[in-house]
Amino acid sequence: MKKQITVTINGTPHTVEVEPRMLLVHLIREKLSMTGTHIGCDTSSCGACTILINGKSAKSCTILAVQADGKEVTTVEGLATAEGLHPIQEGFKENHGLHCGFCTPGMMLRAVELLEKNPTPSEEEIRWGIAGNLCRCTGYNNIVKAIQYASAKMQGNELPSTEPEFV
Amino acid sequence: MIPEQFGYSAPSSLGEALSLLQEHGEDAKVLAGGHSLIPMMKLRFAAPTHLVDINNVPGMSYINEEDGKLKIGALAREVDLEDSELIRSKFPIFIDASKLIADPQVRNFGTVGGNIAHGDAANDHPAVMLALNAEVEITGPEGKRTVPIDEFFYGFYMTAVQQGEILTEISIPLPEGKFGCAYHKLERKVGDYATAGVAVALTVDESGTCTSAGIGLTNVNPVPLRASRSEEALVGSKLTDEDIARAAQFAAEDCSPSDDLRGDEDYKRHVVKVLTKRMIKKAIDRI
């Protein structure tokens, strides 16, 4: 039997009827046509479907849409504002933090919560912090740099060099 | 992957949750963090006909000290352990374990209560709770009852929580005197189940003699295992290298790991031996 729920996504409330078994990621992608949130492994391993629910990063392939009733959801579509890119998006752009881009929305949403809880993480803290997000292209170094860049930008600190390192 | 169809309720009180469980009978399941249950439902290993989502039940997420006990509400999340000053200062064993459970997103939702109520010997909290001599509070239509952790795990996915009941609290006696505890598991990669894991909790008196020892093992037995002979080997000892080696040897002998992708039986026994030794030493260092 379908349930009526109201989920606020990126500030806009959506009232929809869903089967209890509908996964949150399917609501976002298929019913509401916001395809920035990706489905990778579909087993809560890869983190491509990461979104924020009331500010907490979550794997939306392992949460039911009905569980998000009354909650505030943020997806990658909600990061940029009229003023421009979110610092984490700028960080990824400036540091070549993506190749194919499949993991990027999930990586960025995860990084947003990480920086919210720990505004100046060490490299090790960043690597533990993104342990639930898999990237098969970059080898993670530039993702770590992107998050360090965003941290500096959000703190108003001097921005780290975005010159590529040849190792 | 989409689960089979089911009904869903999100009650706002424990009483309501219990009546819903009564009403829907044996095919109803409690949904807490959902990070064990929903994957099983997606793979259709589990097909409950009704989910009772207890996430809206208020007052079940606490972590506090009361009546000489550490009390953890069933809805306390893994991340709440990591963020708790009380846990950080008195029970670092939970930080050891939580850091190795899945990944940050899963820990934002996964609950301590669910980790135990799932009844999986591969989960990490059961061994920790064995080492700490926890008690589990279970609430049912008849009221509350308390089950010692040693009587909680029955078998594969089977626990003392019966149909119509909800695990509501875990309580752990606050250690008296000098106390140290530690947990580690060997995992192949982030988010993997343990190849083997060992939890150790020790108290010692002023002379350095061990007065109590709790040792729990992860994923090397059909149910979470207490390494009783290892504990006995430590109590009354001065925790010398020989005593520690003997306790570690007993743990390796007394577990019954199975051959699987993570390694064969001999290898896992060896891992248990090494980890038991290391965790005893780490617990001593933390005293």
Side-chain angles (χ1 to χ4, degrees), chain B residues 116-151:
Chain B
I116 294 167
H118 192 51
D120 187 346
N123 280 356
D124 299 283
H125 282 301
V128 174
M129 297 301 174
L130 282 166
L132 295 173
N133 292 314
E135 284 186 328
V136 184
E137 178 195 87
I138 299 169
T139 307
E142 314 289 307
K144 292 178 178 182
R145 62 195 178 96
T146 305
V147 178
I149 195 73
D150 289 281
E151 294 165 24

Side-chain angles (χ1 to χ4, degrees), chain B residues 220-244:
Chain B
V220 285
N221 198 60
V223 290
L225 185 68
R226 178 183 292 283
S228 306
R229 269 207 306 161
S230 310
E231 294 174 350
E232 285 157 20
L234 296 181
V235 176
S237 84
K238 289 278 187 194
L239 299 173
T240 61
D241 284 351
E242 293 76 56
D243 300 327
I244 295 170

Side-chain angles (χ1 to χ4, degrees), chain B residues 31-70:
Chain B
L31 176 69
H35 279 60
S36 296
L37 181 59
I38 293 175
M40 286 178 79
M41 289 171 64
K42 287 173 69 177
L43 292 165
R44 308 219 175 180
F45 291 152
T49 54
H50 200 91
L51 286 188
V52 178
D53 180 350
I54 58 170
N55 285 284
N56 295 342
V57 176
M60 286 178 74
S61 304
Y62 52 87
I63 299 174
N64 57 32
E65 229 180 283
E66 205 187 302
D67 311 328
K69 285 179 177 169
L70 167 70

Side-chain angles (χ1 to χ4, degrees), chain A residues 21-29 37-51 53 58-65 67 132, chain B residues 1-3 33-35 37-43 103 105-106:
Chain A
R21 66 176 174 164
M22 175 176 261
L23 301 169
L24 182 54
V25 71
H26 291 147
L27 170 70
I28 294 168
R29 286 180 56 86
T37 305
H38 294 161
I39 300 175
C41 67
D42 203 7
T43 57
S44 71
S45 303
C46 78
C49 66
T50 299
I51 56 165
I53 302 178
K59 293 186 167 176
S60 59
C61 76
T62 306
I63 290 175
L64 304 169
Q67 289 180 275
Chain B
M1 294 181 295
I2 299 166
H35 279 60
L37 181 59
I38 293 175
M40 286 178 79
M41 289 171 64
K42 287 173 69 177
L43 292 165
D103 57 57
Q105 288 95 313
V106 175

Side-chain angles (χ1 to χ4, degrees), chain B residues 138-180:
Chain B
I138 299 169
T139 307
E142 314 289 307
K144 292 178 178 182
R145 62 195 178 96
T146 305
V147 178
I149 195 73
D150 289 281
E151 294 165 24
F152 184 77
F153 301 105
Y154 283 13
F156 194 54
Y157 294 138
M158 287 193 296
T159 70
V161 181
Q162 300 297 309
Q163 183 192 325
E165 293 184 321
I166 299 176
L167 185 161
T168 42
E169 185 183 88
I170 298 142
S171 61
I172 290 160
L174 287 177
E176 285 168 20
K178 296 162 95 179
F179 172 76

